PDB file of all heavy atoms in Angstrom:
ATOM      1  N   THR A 249      12.093 -17.638   0.327  1.00  0.00           N
ATOM      2  CA  THR A 249      10.886 -18.398   0.068  1.00  0.00           C
ATOM      3  C   THR A 249      10.158 -17.810  -1.123  1.00  0.00           C
ATOM      4  O   THR A 249      10.259 -16.631  -1.418  1.00  0.00           O
ATOM      5  CB  THR A 249       9.952 -18.386   1.299  1.00  0.00           C
ATOM      6  OG1 THR A 249       9.599 -17.040   1.573  1.00  0.00           O
ATOM      7  CG2 THR A 249      10.627 -18.999   2.511  1.00  0.00           C
ATOM      8  N   THR A 250       9.414 -18.659  -1.790  1.00  0.00           N
ATOM      9  CA  THR A 250       8.630 -18.165  -2.924  1.00  0.00           C
ATOM     10  C   THR A 250       7.168 -18.144  -2.529  1.00  0.00           C
ATOM     11  O   THR A 250       6.665 -19.088  -1.925  1.00  0.00           O
ATOM     12  CB  THR A 250       8.819 -19.054  -4.173  1.00  0.00           C
ATOM     13  OG1 THR A 250       8.451 -20.396  -3.842  1.00  0.00           O
ATOM     14  CG2 THR A 250      10.269 -19.036  -4.639  1.00  0.00           C
ATOM     15  N   GLU A 251       6.511 -17.060  -2.839  1.00  0.00           N
ATOM     16  CA  GLU A 251       5.092 -16.907  -2.543  1.00  0.00           C
ATOM     17  C   GLU A 251       4.285 -17.512  -3.684  1.00  0.00           C
ATOM     18  O   GLU A 251       4.723 -17.507  -4.840  1.00  0.00           O
ATOM     19  CB  GLU A 251       4.732 -15.432  -2.402  1.00  0.00           C
ATOM     20  CG  GLU A 251       5.282 -14.793  -1.151  1.00  0.00           C
ATOM     21  CD  GLU A 251       4.619 -15.274   0.118  1.00  0.00           C
ATOM     22  OE1 GLU A 251       3.419 -15.596   0.086  1.00  0.00           O
ATOM     23  OE2 GLU A 251       5.297 -15.331   1.142  1.00  0.00           O
ATOM     24  N   VAL A 256      -6.849 -14.100  -8.302  1.00  0.00           N
ATOM     25  CA  VAL A 256      -7.652 -13.215  -9.155  1.00  0.00           C
ATOM     26  C   VAL A 256      -8.101 -11.999  -8.352  1.00  0.00           C
ATOM     27  O   VAL A 256      -8.083 -10.869  -8.864  1.00  0.00           O
ATOM     28  CB  VAL A 256      -8.864 -13.988  -9.733  1.00  0.00           C
ATOM     29  CG1 VAL A 256      -9.805 -13.056 -10.467  1.00  0.00           C
ATOM     30  CG2 VAL A 256      -8.394 -15.112 -10.637  1.00  0.00           C
ATOM     31  N   ASP A 257      -8.472 -12.194  -7.094  1.00  0.00           N
ATOM     32  CA  ASP A 257      -8.885 -11.070  -6.243  1.00  0.00           C
ATOM     33  C   ASP A 257      -7.724 -10.112  -5.992  1.00  0.00           C
ATOM     34  O   ASP A 257      -7.905  -8.895  -6.010  1.00  0.00           O
ATOM     35  CB  ASP A 257      -9.442 -11.569  -4.906  1.00  0.00           C
ATOM     36  CG  ASP A 257     -10.811 -12.219  -5.049  1.00  0.00           C
ATOM     37  OD1 ASP A 257     -11.527 -11.894  -6.021  1.00  0.00           O
ATOM     38  OD2 ASP A 257     -11.155 -13.051  -4.195  1.00  0.00           O
ATOM     39  N   VAL A 269      -4.697   5.494  -9.026  1.00  0.00           N
ATOM     40  CA  VAL A 269      -3.478   6.300  -8.946  1.00  0.00           C
ATOM     41  C   VAL A 269      -3.228   7.007 -10.276  1.00  0.00           C
ATOM     42  O   VAL A 269      -2.918   8.199 -10.311  1.00  0.00           O
ATOM     43  CB  VAL A 269      -2.266   5.436  -8.525  1.00  0.00           C
ATOM     44  CG1 VAL A 269      -0.957   6.175  -8.717  1.00  0.00           C
ATOM     45  CG2 VAL A 269      -2.414   4.979  -7.075  1.00  0.00           C
ATOM     46  N   GLU A 270      -3.380   6.276 -11.389  1.00  0.00           N
ATOM     47  CA  GLU A 270      -3.145   6.870 -12.706  1.00  0.00           C
ATOM     48  C   GLU A 270      -4.175   7.947 -13.038  1.00  0.00           C
ATOM     49  O   GLU A 270      -3.874   8.902 -13.741  1.00  0.00           O
ATOM     50  CB  GLU A 270      -3.140   5.792 -13.784  1.00  0.00           C
ATOM     51  CG  GLU A 270      -1.919   4.885 -13.703  1.00  0.00           C
ATOM     52  CD  GLU A 270      -1.977   3.703 -14.647  1.00  0.00           C
ATOM     53  OE1 GLU A 270      -3.015   3.521 -15.351  1.00  0.00           O
ATOM     54  OE2 GLU A 270      -0.997   2.940 -14.690  1.00  0.00           O
ATOM     55  N   PRO A 273      -5.905  13.357  -9.817  1.00  0.00           N
ATOM     56  CA  PRO A 273      -5.549  14.685 -10.326  1.00  0.00           C
ATOM     57  C   PRO A 273      -4.087  15.049 -10.063  1.00  0.00           C
ATOM     58  O   PRO A 273      -3.461  15.745 -10.854  1.00  0.00           O
ATOM     59  CB  PRO A 273      -6.496  15.628  -9.592  1.00  0.00           C
ATOM     60  CG  PRO A 273      -7.004  14.864  -8.420  1.00  0.00           C
ATOM     61  CD  PRO A 273      -6.923  13.412  -8.774  1.00  0.00           C
ATOM     62  N   VAL A 281      -4.601   1.458   2.982  1.00  0.00           N
ATOM     63  CA  VAL A 281      -5.093   0.201   2.428  1.00  0.00           C
ATOM     64  C   VAL A 281      -5.750  -0.628   3.516  1.00  0.00           C
ATOM     65  O   VAL A 281      -5.347  -0.597   4.678  1.00  0.00           O
ATOM     66  CB  VAL A 281      -3.971  -0.600   1.744  1.00  0.00           C
ATOM     67  CG1 VAL A 281      -3.419   0.148   0.547  1.00  0.00           C
ATOM     68  CG2 VAL A 281      -2.851  -0.962   2.707  1.00  0.00           C
ATOM     69  N   GLY A 282      -6.776  -1.361   3.123  1.00  0.00           N
ATOM     70  CA  GLY A 282      -7.425  -2.300   4.024  1.00  0.00           C
ATOM     71  C   GLY A 282      -6.571  -3.558   4.164  1.00  0.00           C
ATOM     72  O   GLY A 282      -5.518  -3.700   3.542  1.00  0.00           O
ATOM     73  N   ALA A 284      -6.961  -6.731   3.120  1.00  0.00           N
ATOM     74  CA  ALA A 284      -6.725  -7.558   1.927  1.00  0.00           C
ATOM     75  C   ALA A 284      -5.631  -6.970   1.041  1.00  0.00           C
ATOM     76  O   ALA A 284      -4.723  -7.678   0.601  1.00  0.00           O
ATOM     77  CB  ALA A 284      -8.019  -7.729   1.135  1.00  0.00           C
ATOM     78  N   LEU A 289      -0.009  -6.326  -1.051  1.00  0.00           N
ATOM     79  CA  LEU A 289       1.206  -5.524  -1.215  1.00  0.00           C
ATOM     80  C   LEU A 289       2.390  -6.169  -0.493  1.00  0.00           C
ATOM     81  O   LEU A 289       3.520  -6.111  -0.973  1.00  0.00           O
ATOM     82  CB  LEU A 289       0.982  -4.098  -0.712  1.00  0.00           C
ATOM     83  CG  LEU A 289       0.023  -3.240  -1.540  1.00  0.00           C
ATOM     84  CD1 LEU A 289      -0.196  -1.889  -0.869  1.00  0.00           C
ATOM     85  CD2 LEU A 289       0.530  -3.067  -2.961  1.00  0.00           C
ATOM     86  N   GLY A 290       2.127  -6.776   0.647  1.00  0.00           N
ATOM     87  CA  GLY A 290       3.185  -7.473   1.369  1.00  0.00           C
ATOM     88  C   GLY A 290       3.746  -8.632   0.574  1.00  0.00           C
ATOM     89  O   GLY A 290       4.948  -8.906   0.620  1.00  0.00           O
ATOM     90  N   PRO A 294      10.086  -8.224  -1.868  1.00  0.00           N
ATOM     91  CA  PRO A 294      11.029  -9.348  -1.968  1.00  0.00           C
ATOM     92  C   PRO A 294      11.028 -10.145  -0.669  1.00  0.00           C
ATOM     93  O   PRO A 294      10.974  -9.571   0.413  1.00  0.00           O
ATOM     94  CB  PRO A 294      12.382  -8.673  -2.180  1.00  0.00           C
ATOM     95  CG  PRO A 294      12.093  -7.262  -2.558  1.00  0.00           C
ATOM     96  CD  PRO A 294      10.721  -6.937  -2.042  1.00  0.00           C
ATOM     97  N   VAL A 296      12.531 -12.260   2.311  1.00  0.00           N
ATOM     98  CA  VAL A 296      13.801 -12.239   3.023  1.00  0.00           C
ATOM     99  C   VAL A 296      13.824 -13.391   4.017  1.00  0.00           C
ATOM    100  O   VAL A 296      12.793 -13.833   4.494  1.00  0.00           O
ATOM    101  CB  VAL A 296      14.034 -10.904   3.769  1.00  0.00           C
ATOM    102  CG1 VAL A 296      14.205  -9.771   2.781  1.00  0.00           C
ATOM    103  CG2 VAL A 296      12.907 -10.608   4.728  1.00  0.00           C
ATOM    104  N   CYS A 298      15.398 -13.276   6.948  1.00  0.00           N
ATOM    105  CA  CYS A 298      15.889 -12.767   8.238  1.00  0.00           C
ATOM    106  C   CYS A 298      14.882 -12.954   9.365  1.00  0.00           C
ATOM    107  O   CYS A 298      15.144 -12.578  10.484  1.00  0.00           O
ATOM    108  CB  CYS A 298      16.262 -11.292   8.100  1.00  0.00           C
ATOM    109  SG  CYS A 298      14.863 -10.237   7.708  1.00  0.00           S
ATOM    110  N   PHE A 307       3.257   1.247  -3.049  1.00  0.00           N
ATOM    111  CA  PHE A 307       2.705   0.907  -4.355  1.00  0.00           C
ATOM    112  C   PHE A 307       3.219   1.952  -5.331  1.00  0.00           C
ATOM    113  O   PHE A 307       2.945   3.144  -5.161  1.00  0.00           O
ATOM    114  CB  PHE A 307       1.170   0.912  -4.324  1.00  0.00           C
ATOM    115  CG  PHE A 307       0.557   0.579  -5.654  1.00  0.00           C
ATOM    116  CD1 PHE A 307       0.534  -0.725  -6.100  1.00  0.00           C
ATOM    117  CD2 PHE A 307       0.036   1.567  -6.456  1.00  0.00           C
ATOM    118  CE1 PHE A 307      -0.010  -1.034  -7.335  1.00  0.00           C
ATOM    119  CE2 PHE A 307      -0.517   1.270  -7.686  1.00  0.00           C
ATOM    120  CZ  PHE A 307      -0.544  -0.036  -8.132  1.00  0.00           C
ATOM    121  N   ILE A 310       4.716   4.953  -3.742  1.00  0.00           N
ATOM    122  CA  ILE A 310       3.871   5.719  -2.820  1.00  0.00           C
ATOM    123  C   ILE A 310       3.724   4.902  -1.530  1.00  0.00           C
ATOM    124  O   ILE A 310       3.312   3.738  -1.587  1.00  0.00           O
ATOM    125  CB  ILE A 310       2.480   5.989  -3.431  1.00  0.00           C
ATOM    126  CG1 ILE A 310       2.609   6.698  -4.771  1.00  0.00           C
ATOM    127  CG2 ILE A 310       1.613   6.789  -2.461  1.00  0.00           C
ATOM    128  CD1 ILE A 310       1.321   6.716  -5.576  1.00  0.00           C
ATOM    129  N   THR A 314      -1.492   0.549   6.403  1.00  0.00           N
ATOM    130  CA  THR A 314      -2.619  -0.349   6.654  1.00  0.00           C
ATOM    131  C   THR A 314      -3.579   0.280   7.653  1.00  0.00           C
ATOM    132  O   THR A 314      -3.167   0.791   8.687  1.00  0.00           O
ATOM    133  CB  THR A 314      -2.120  -1.695   7.192  1.00  0.00           C
ATOM    134  OG1 THR A 314      -1.190  -2.249   6.262  1.00  0.00           O
ATOM    135  CG2 THR A 314      -3.283  -2.666   7.408  1.00  0.00           C
ATOM    136  N   PHE A 322      -9.129   0.772  -0.455  1.00  0.00           N
ATOM    137  CA  PHE A 322      -8.039   1.727  -0.325  1.00  0.00           C
ATOM    138  C   PHE A 322      -8.582   3.140  -0.382  1.00  0.00           C
ATOM    139  O   PHE A 322      -9.711   3.379  -0.807  1.00  0.00           O
ATOM    140  CB  PHE A 322      -6.983   1.534  -1.432  1.00  0.00           C
ATOM    141  CG  PHE A 322      -7.531   1.722  -2.812  1.00  0.00           C
ATOM    142  CD1 PHE A 322      -7.575   2.973  -3.404  1.00  0.00           C
ATOM    143  CD2 PHE A 322      -8.003   0.640  -3.530  1.00  0.00           C
ATOM    144  CE1 PHE A 322      -8.089   3.152  -4.682  1.00  0.00           C
ATOM    145  CE2 PHE A 322      -8.518   0.798  -4.809  1.00  0.00           C
ATOM    146  CZ  PHE A 322      -8.556   2.061  -5.384  1.00  0.00           C
ATOM    147  N   LEU A 324      -6.827   7.074  -1.385  1.00  0.00           N
ATOM    148  CA  LEU A 324      -5.684   7.887  -1.756  1.00  0.00           C
ATOM    149  C   LEU A 324      -5.630   9.100  -0.847  1.00  0.00           C
ATOM    150  O   LEU A 324      -6.650   9.737  -0.597  1.00  0.00           O
ATOM    151  CB  LEU A 324      -5.775   8.329  -3.216  1.00  0.00           C
ATOM    152  CG  LEU A 324      -5.915   7.207  -4.246  1.00  0.00           C
ATOM    153  CD1 LEU A 324      -5.993   7.795  -5.646  1.00  0.00           C
ATOM    154  CD2 LEU A 324      -4.782   6.202  -4.141  1.00  0.00           C
ATOM    155  N   ASP A 327      -2.634  14.645   1.651  1.00  0.00           N
ATOM    156  CA  ASP A 327      -2.094  15.556   2.659  1.00  0.00           C
ATOM    157  C   ASP A 327      -0.581  15.356   2.776  1.00  0.00           C
ATOM    158  O   ASP A 327      -0.055  14.307   2.436  1.00  0.00           O
ATOM    159  CB  ASP A 327      -2.775  15.357   4.012  1.00  0.00           C
ATOM    160  CG  ASP A 327      -2.926  13.904   4.398  1.00  0.00           C
ATOM    161  OD1 ASP A 327      -2.017  13.098   4.124  1.00  0.00           O
ATOM    162  OD2 ASP A 327      -3.959  13.555   4.965  1.00  0.00           O
TER     163      ASP A 327
END
Side-chain angles (χ1 to χ4, degrees):
T249 61
T250 57
E251 289 290 328
V256 173
D257 288 335
V269 168
E270 290 173 356
V281 296
L289 291 175
V296 293
C298 64
F307 179 76
I310 304 167
T314 303
F322 61 88
L324 304 180
D327 45 38

